[in-house]
Amino acid sequence: PDRDGTCNQLEYVFGSDPLVPGPPPRTPVEIVTVGGQAFLQITVPRRSDRPATLVVEVSADLAAWQSGAGWTVEVANNLDRWIVRDATAIDASSPRRFLRVRVSLP
């Protein structure tokens, strides 16, 4: 409703007001090195008092999206943040990788 570009479901999960325009919550995406390989990783803030199902999806082309075991690796799962890494390394065979968060409410 506030037309700030963040859907109401994400506003609820992140604890922002859907009626007051503002910047979206920070969901930092970074490149991390694990075992000498580079991977995309996202940190998703959340509030423990807001029940929701969050899914991190990965893509190589922004058209086909995948999630779950084999596609992502859960790095940390805390009450206030969730950290998920792409399971596919960024390299010559996979130079483009993308992450997004999907939310559904009970």
Side-chain angles (χ1 to χ4, degrees):
D2 61 16
R3 300 177 190 244
D4 67 2
T6 303
C7 75
N8 286 346
Q9 291 174 321
L10 286 175
E11 296 249 20
Y12 171 78
V13 170
F14 296 146
S16 55
D17 188 339
L19 300 176
V20 177
R26 288 188 27 83
T27 53
V29 175
E30 59 187 323
I31 296 175
V32 297
T33 302
V34 177
Q37 294 183 300
F39 296 87
L40 275 184
Q41 179 172 288
I42 187 169
T43 300
V44 182
R46 61 180 178 192
R47 291 183 44 166
S48 60
D49 63 337
R50 305 288 171 104
T53 300
L54 299 171
V55 176
V56 171
E57 298 177 325
V58 298
S59 177
D61 60 8
L62 295 174
W65 292 89
Q66 295 85 22
S67 63
W71 297 103
T72 61
V73 176
E74 186 175 80
V75 176
N77 190 355
N78 304 313
L79 291 176
D80 63 340
R81 65 188 170 121
W82 186 39
I83 303 173
V84 179
R85 185 175 64 233
D86 188 352
T88 301
I90 301 169
D91 59 20
S93 64
S94 298
R96 296 174 43 166
R97 302 297 296 163
F98 304 92
L99 297 172
R100 73 179 181 187
V101 178
R102 187 171 36 91
V103 62
S104 59
L105 301 177

